[in-house]
Amino acid sequence: MTYTVDLLFKARQEIFEGWKWYEEQQSGLGDRFEEEVFRKIDLIEANPLHYPLKKGKHETTTDIFPYLIVYMISEKRKSIMIVSVFHTSRHPKKKYK
């Protein structure tokens, strides 16, 4: 089945903030962060049910950077909504807000 992927505003903002922070640390690191996030989103798109369900949302970590991708699946619309791209050092309750 083919799913479309939608990044909610919060997720896009979190990706940008992560990119900006990493880019300030080292030139090009922000781009590597962004590539890693979108590589993982491609894996989610290919097999959205593969990752565990917690509190009604699926979660998976990125392999290189300490981020968690939180998403929901709409079978009716055949879509995946990326809710949050969450730095794992933040308080866990904030990933669902």
Side-chain angles (χ1 to χ4, degrees), residues 74-92:
S74 171
E75 288 294 337
K76 183 178 179 182
R77 293 181 20 208
K78 295 296 181 213
S79 69
I80 299 165
M81 293 164 286
I82 307 295
V83 175
S84 182
V85 178
F86 183 81
H87 193 284
T88 58
S89 70
R90 293 172 56 200
H91 194 284

Side-chain angles (χ1 to χ4, degrees), residues 7 12-14 40 48 57 60 63 67-69 71 75 77 87 89 97:
L7 277 96
R12 285 182 296 188
Q13 186 176 17
E14 290 168 329
K40 194 62 152 195
K57 295 177 178 71
T60 185
D63 295 332
Y67 277 78
L68 184 71
I69 299 175
Y71 65 97
E75 288 294 337
R77 293 181 20 208
H87 193 284
S89 70
K97 290 185 180 183

Side-chain angles (χ1 to χ4, degrees), residues 40 43-44 46-53 58-60 71 73:
K40 194 62 152 195
L43 292 174
I44 291 168
N47 195 356
L49 298 174
H50 175 74
Y51 302 101
L53 188 64
H58 293 268
E59 298 181 359
T60 185
Y71 65 97
I73 302 168

Side-chain angles (χ1 to χ4, degrees), residues 19-33 65:
W19 174 86
K20 183 179 173 186
W21 189 88
Y22 283 114
E23 201 60 29
E24 288 171 356
Q25 305 311 304
Q26 180 182 341
S27 180
L29 190 57
D31 293 337
R32 286 179 48 206
F33 164 74
F65 296 90

